[in-house]
Amino acid sequence: MNSKQKINPSLLLPVMLVFLSMLACQASDLLSTPTPYPTYTPYPEIIVTPYPTYTPYPQPSLTPAPDVRYTEDFEGSSSCFEPYSDAVMNSQMSDGAYSVRITESNQGFLSICPGQTFIDFTLEADIRLLEDTAGSAYFGVMFRETGGQYYSFILSTAPDGYPIYCVSYIGSNSYTPLTNSTFDPGNCWSMVPAGIYDAQTNRLRVSMEGEVMSIYLNDEILTVVRDNLLSAGRIGIQAGTYDQPVLEAAYDNLRVTVP
């Protein structure tokens, strides 16, 4: 005969707790511990260093060669300056130069090159006094000559022997000084600064730009003057005596260039 026994629930509670704890342990053993993702480290920013800006080497400024319109070394048998002769003066090609000789006081000599007419230009010429020169005299160049009118740049010596120069406008019946006298009011003669004039050979240069003329002696500037009476014309050479003769001068290395 079977007999039924009633189990006290309070007795089952500990057993169930033990059983559940065993199941929890087994479940925890079956699940693996997840490996955490590593912290993201961004790639370092790449700094690109630009190539330096190319700087070309500076190029030297080239001075253009002057445009030579007329040149004369007087080495040939002829030039645009014709020979001339009379009782008191003569001019001729001699020893590679154009020589002018005057044997009487108060005489003037002009020789104009009948070739080109120039507007803006630079005129250069070497002038050498020869041994026969004695007494007061003058020598130089003329430019922008037209119809008997021209500009004049001449050299001379004062009574005390000091070198002087004069720039002037010569009209058909007029004379206008363009430089002011430094020792005698009323005329254009000015003293050449010390150390510029040479007792034998001097290089005269005139640069014309519009109405402005720059006057040089042996590459040193003497003066800058302005005049608008003549705008174009021919070039020439000139010489003369004052109270006493004799003058003998030789012209060489004449050249005209334009801008």
Side-chain angles (χ1 to χ4, degrees), residues 36-48:
Y37 290 104
T39 303
Y40 172 71
T41 302
Y43 287 105
E45 181 181 357
I46 299 175
I47 300 176
V48 179

Side-chain angles (χ1 to χ4, degrees), residues 129-134 200 248:
L129 293 180
L130 304 183
E131 293 180 359
D132 288 345
T133 299
Q200 295 298 318
E248 189 169 4

Side-chain angles (χ1 to χ4, degrees), residues 156-175:
S156 185
T157 53
D160 60 0
Y162 202 91
I164 53 179
Y165 73 94
C166 172
V167 181
S168 60
Y169 161 77
I170 309 297
S172 300
N173 297 297
S174 63
Y175 164 79

